[in-house]
């Protein structure tokens, strides 16, 4: 497809890189020549220097024949108006990044009035990711599929775990709970597991099941952590605001520490039921005075990756039960993993994944509909949810008779609200929701599960 990305900052660069790797025809527009030169040096995309609201710039970039235009500059207004003009000039689909909390309650009106295909708020998306983790503290990461019927949970295998040294077949037979271990990260290796693989200390495993079965499984293996009651957040960012709004009403005491007095005042007015402390979150004495040692969760959301990593390392050293680190720079994200910071959230990566899902859905054939795409294990594994249509070529064929790819697992089938952990005799039927886990990042429709 022909795709124009407006804005070459962190998010725009990530999106253009991912889309060009998927063999799309990508063009980037940015006003900053240094940004253009940097993208030109590292990516195989076309670049134009100029203001994306200027029709001549849009015309030169081929926006009138674009299949998709993505507005992701640092200005919400430029994103919205450039998408509005692009649509008027002939672009088929438009996506605008809108971050300002003032627009939070207006997003549906903005989308409809401007004719946008999608409005995306990276900070809101990141806050929802953190909120799910806080609500399910046993997880390093958690995502829901099939309208909440399936949860995909990532957690770590410690020395004390009864799963150490057991293979997946043994685990399934012993616990007799409907779940599937669908991915394993072992040091730098990523494994789509077979039944005979044994779990080792330090493995990070991704497991799919219903919420009830996940809780039961974690309880049986002694991995169910107590609910989080107190949270300390460093930084009064947009993510902080959305996260606090998401956690309202579930009896969690939140304390925010922010060194900018004006930011303290603003977030204090927006969140009257949250404790806001004016002070430097890197001041250890201040943290201890504010109860750092006794909180159930510590979340570092400053605008500086290095600060977030160091503070999270400190929290890990205090054995705080749940530590969440926001990291934007890919290099620092790798560093965070090396320091064993298990729950790392990147708004840029989450935004990119949502847009990639939309692009893949646009490319879908009539045999299936892509509902959801989520990336796990440092973005090296994709989890996709498809709804199967009548025209799908592989319906009613037993799975054991299909030549399913080696780099892929069918994790779950949801049929009329019922969860099926698939076996060889199961079939895919019209209307099923199918959850696929794969290390192949080029799966775009359900029939791609079969080797060509």
């Amino acid at each position: 497809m022909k795709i124009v990305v407006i804005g070459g900052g962190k998010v725009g660069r990530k999106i253009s890189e991912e889309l060009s790797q998927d063999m799309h025809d990508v063009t980037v527009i940015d006003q900053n020549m240094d940004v253009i030169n940097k993208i030109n040096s590292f990516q195989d995309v076309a670049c134009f220097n100029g203001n994306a609201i200027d029709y001549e710039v849009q015309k030169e970039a081929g926006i009138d024949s674009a299949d998709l235009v993505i507005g992701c500059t640092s200005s919400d207004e430029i994103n919205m108006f450039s998408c509005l003009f692009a649509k008027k000039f002939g672009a088929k689909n438009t996506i605008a990044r809108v971050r300002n909390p003032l627009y939070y309650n207006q997003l549906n009106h903005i989308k409809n009035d401007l004719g946008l295909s999608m409005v995306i708020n990276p900070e809101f998306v990141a806050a929802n990711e953190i909120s799910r983790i806080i609500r399910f503290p046993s997880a390093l990461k958690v995502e829901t599929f099939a309208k909440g019927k399936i949860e995909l949970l990532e957690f770590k295998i410690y020395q004390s775990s009864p799963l150490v040294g057991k293979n997946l077949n043994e685990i399934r037979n012993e616990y007799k709970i409907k779940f599937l271990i669908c991915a394993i990260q072992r040091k730098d290796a990523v494994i789509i597991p077979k039944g005979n693989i044994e779990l080792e200390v330090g493995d990070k495993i991704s497991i799919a099941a219903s919420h009830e079965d996940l809780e039961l499984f974690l309880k049986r293996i002694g991995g169910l952590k107590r609910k989080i009651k107190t949270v300390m957040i460093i930084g009064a960012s947009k993510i902080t605001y959305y996260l606090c709004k998401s956690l309202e009403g579930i009896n969690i005491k939140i304390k925010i520490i922010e060194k900018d007095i004006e930011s303290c005042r603003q977030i204090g007015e927006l969140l009257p039921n949250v404790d806001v402390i004016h002070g430097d979150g890197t001041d250890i004495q201040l943290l201890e005075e504010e109860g750092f040692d006794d909180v159930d969760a510590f979340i570092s959301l400053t605008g500086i990756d290095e600060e977030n990593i160091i503070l999270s390392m400190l929290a890990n050293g205090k054995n705080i039960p749940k530590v969440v680190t926001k990291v934007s720079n890919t290099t620092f994200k790798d560093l965070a993993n090396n320091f064993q910071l298990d729950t790392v959230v990147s708004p840029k990566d989450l935004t990119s994944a949502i847009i990639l899902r939309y692009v893949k859905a646009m490319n879908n054939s009539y045999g299936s509909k892509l509902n959801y795409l989520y990336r796990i294990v440092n973005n090296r594994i994709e989890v996709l949810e498809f709804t199967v249509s009548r025209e799908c070529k592989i319906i009613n064929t037993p799975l054991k008779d299909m030549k399913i790819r080696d780099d892929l697992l069918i994790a779950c089938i949801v049929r009329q609200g019922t969860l099926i952990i698939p076996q060889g005799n199961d079939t895919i039927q019209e209307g099923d929701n199918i959850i696929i886990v794969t290390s192949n990042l080029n799966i775009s429709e359900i029939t791609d599960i079969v080797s060509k």
Side-chain angles (χ1 to χ4, degrees):
M1 289 195 300
K2 185 173 182 178
I3 301 172
V4 178
V5 179
I6 297 171
K10 291 176 184 176
V11 173
R13 245 189 342 264
K14 176 72 173 177
I15 292 167
S16 63
E17 179 183 24
E18 297 268 8
L19 292 172
S20 63
Q21 287 174 353
D22 279 355
M23 306 305 295
H24 295 290
D25 178 7
V26 180
T27 300
V28 178
I29 303 174
D30 198 281
Q31 294 191 79
N32 188 323
M33 198 62 209
D34 290 337
V35 170
I36 292 294
N37 290 335
K38 188 172 183 179
I39 293 174
N40 262 328
S41 299
F42 294 99
Q43 296 184 26
D44 184 20
V45 300
C47 293
F48 286 89
N49 178 230
N51 188 335
I53 296 181
D54 186 333
Y55 173 63
E56 292 303 320
V57 173
Q58 289 200 2
K59 185 178 179 181
E60 189 178 2
I63 230 162
D64 52 349
S65 60
D67 296 296
L68 176 63
V69 175
I70 305 166
C72 53
T73 73
S74 58
S75 166
D76 291 348
E77 290 73 22
I78 289 177
N79 295 336
M80 290 187 286
F81 281 109
S82 60
C83 284
L84 173 65
F85 296 153
K87 188 80 173 178
K88 183 178 180 181
F89 297 145
K92 295 182 180 67
N93 298 277
T94 54
I95 298 174
R97 181 175 74 157
V98 180
R99 305 167 64 199
N100 194 325
L102 293 175
Y103 296 127
Y104 174 64
N105 293 319
Q106 318 297 327
L107 290 185
N108 283 334
H109 295 299
I110 290 169
K111 178 175 179 288
N112 295 332
D113 291 348
L114 299 183
L116 300 169
S117 307
M118 181 191 296
V119 178
I120 188 165
N121 183 328
E123 286 78 13
F124 180 70
V125 171
N128 281 344
E129 172 108 342
I130 298 169
S131 176
R132 286 192 295 270
I133 294 164
I134 295 301
R135 292 166 186 260
F136 206 144
S138 304
L140 304 177
K141 291 184 179 178
V142 60
E143 187 57 60
T144 60
F145 295 87
K147 298 180 179 178
K149 292 183 175 63
I150 304 296
E151 289 186 343
L152 183 77
L153 180 148
E154 180 183 316
F155 69 96
K156 192 170 183 177
I157 303 295
Y158 293 98
Q159 182 70 55
S160 59
S161 173
L163 304 181
V164 173
K166 294 181 180 177
N167 67 44
L168 304 194
N169 288 330
E170 290 172 335
I171 294 169
R172 193 177 298 114
N173 291 333
E174 179 177 349
Y175 292 98
K176 300 188 187 306
I177 297 170
K178 289 202 297 185
F179 68 89
L180 183 70
I181 295 174
C182 45
I184 301 173
Q185 181 180 359
R186 181 169 294 164
K187 297 180 181 177
D188 291 331
V190 175
I191 303 165
I192 299 291
K194 305 296 182 183
N196 59 356
I197 190 169
E198 291 186 357
L199 296 182
E200 299 178 2
V201 175
D203 284 352
K204 292 180 182 178
I205 69 172
S206 296
I207 179 170
S210 68
H211 180 83
E212 294 76 17
D213 283 335
L214 278 173
E215 281 201 333
L216 178 59
F217 178 67
L218 290 172
K219 187 176 181 179
R220 293 270 302 276
I221 66 171
L224 193 62
K225 294 183 179 179
R226 65 186 176 90
K227 290 185 177 180
I228 288 172
K229 296 295 184 182
T230 56
V231 176
M232 178 178 285
I233 302 174
I234 309 301
S237 64
K238 293 183 178 73
I239 298 177
T240 304
Y241 167 75
Y242 293 124
L243 175 60
C244 292
K245 294 295 288 184
S246 174
L247 296 175
E248 279 181 348
I250 60 170
N251 197 28
I252 291 179
K253 185 174 176 59
I254 301 173
K255 182 174 289 186
I256 300 169
I257 298 178
E258 168 60 52
K259 62 183 175 183
D260 180 75
I261 187 66
E262 181 59 22
S263 297
C264 283
R265 185 190 64 77
Q266 290 176 358
I267 204 160
E269 291 177 355
L270 291 169
L271 302 168
N273 297 321
V274 173
D275 292 337
V276 181
I277 308 299
H278 177 229
D280 188 349
T282 63
D283 183 338
I284 306 305
Q285 184 177 347
L286 173 65
L287 292 179
E288 291 176 345
E289 288 174 355
E290 295 300 332
F292 179 53
D293 293 354
D294 300 318
V295 295
D296 297 323
F298 179 85
I299 307 171
S300 193
L301 299 177
T302 78
I304 304 172
D305 287 351
E306 299 94 319
E307 274 191 15
N308 293 335
I309 291 170
I310 291 169
L311 286 169
S312 295
M313 289 171 62
L314 180 64
N316 269 351
K318 296 282 189 180
N319 293 317
I320 293 173
K322 177 59 65 178
V323 178
V324 181
T325 315
K326 190 203 86 171
V327 175
S328 298
N329 188 302
T330 302
T331 302
F332 288 130
K333 191 175 181 183
D334 294 337
L335 187 64
N337 291 323
N338 291 337
F339 286 134
Q340 297 186 328
L341 302 179
D342 291 328
T343 302
V344 177
V345 174
S346 168
K348 174 185 67 175
D349 287 351
L350 292 169
T351 302
S352 175
I354 291 170
I355 291 174
L356 284 173
R357 178 181 77 211
Y358 182 85
V359 172
K360 284 193 174 187
M362 287 175 65
N363 266 342
N364 244 199
S365 75
Y366 59 84
S368 61
K369 173 190 173 188
L370 177 63
N371 300 323
Y372 209 86
L373 180 152
Y374 186 69
R375 286 190 169 173
I376 58 175
V377 195
N378 297 330
N379 293 327
R380 295 161 69 183
I381 299 284
E382 280 188 349
V383 186
L384 306 103
E385 178 190 333
F386 293 97
T387 298
V388 180
S389 71
R390 180 182 303 175
E391 292 81 7
C392 180
K393 297 176 182 178
I394 59 174
I395 60 174
N396 300 323
T397 303
L399 298 182
K400 66 182 181 182
D401 295 335
M402 295 184 197
K403 193 176 179 182
I404 295 176
R405 306 170 63 114
D406 291 335
D407 55 9
L408 179 147
L409 277 179
I410 301 176
C412 305
I413 299 172
V414 178
R415 181 171 298 150
Q416 296 178 349
T418 300
L419 168 64
I420 300 168
I421 301 296
Q423 306 292 324
N425 290 323
D426 287 310
T427 61
I428 293 172
Q429 298 181 15
E430 177 190 351
D432 285 353
N433 278 11
I434 313 294
I435 314 298
I436 307 297
V437 180
T438 178
S439 57
N440 185 315
L441 305 186
N442 293 315
I443 302 294
S444 59
E445 58 178 282
I446 190 66
T447 53
D448 290 339
I449 70 174
V450 180
S451 299
K452 304 296 185 187

